[in-house]
Amino acid sequence: MSKEVISSAILVIVSVIAAVAFVNAVLPSVYGLSESYSSVARSMEDQFKTDIDIIFIYPDGDNVYVWIKKCRVLKYTPVAATIQ
């Protein structure tokens, strides 16, 4: 009888350890996935808030002039600043 109790106890302990290991492996992935969905939602929100029409584009040497209409407030980083 004691053999059965010891074997059952070992099986229960191993099952608990396996469940904890599985949860520790899966939870970071779930959190990362939820963060990626949040970033996609923020990006889509910025796209929907931006309502512009490009009227005319004029390249002039190293500069490009763009005329737009119906422009709303948008955070803008110049391309030259991101290239460096």
Side-chain angles (χ1 to χ4, degrees), residues 27-78:
L27 279 182
S29 299
V30 171
Y31 287 135
L33 188 60
S34 67
E35 180 60 33
S36 67
Y37 281 131
S38 298
S39 66
V40 168
R42 283 190 297 272
S43 174
M44 290 178 67
E45 180 183 5
D46 288 342
Q47 289 176 0
F48 286 131
K49 286 183 178 178
T50 306
D51 184 22
I52 62 172
D53 292 331
I54 297 175
I55 305 299
F56 186 71
I57 299 175
Y58 174 69
D60 183 25
D62 290 339
N63 298 322
V64 175
Y65 297 97
V66 180
W67 283 263
I68 57 176
K69 73 175 188 176
K70 294 183 184 176
C71 182
R72 295 183 184 190
V73 176
L74 177 68
K75 293 180 182 177
Y76 172 71
T77 304

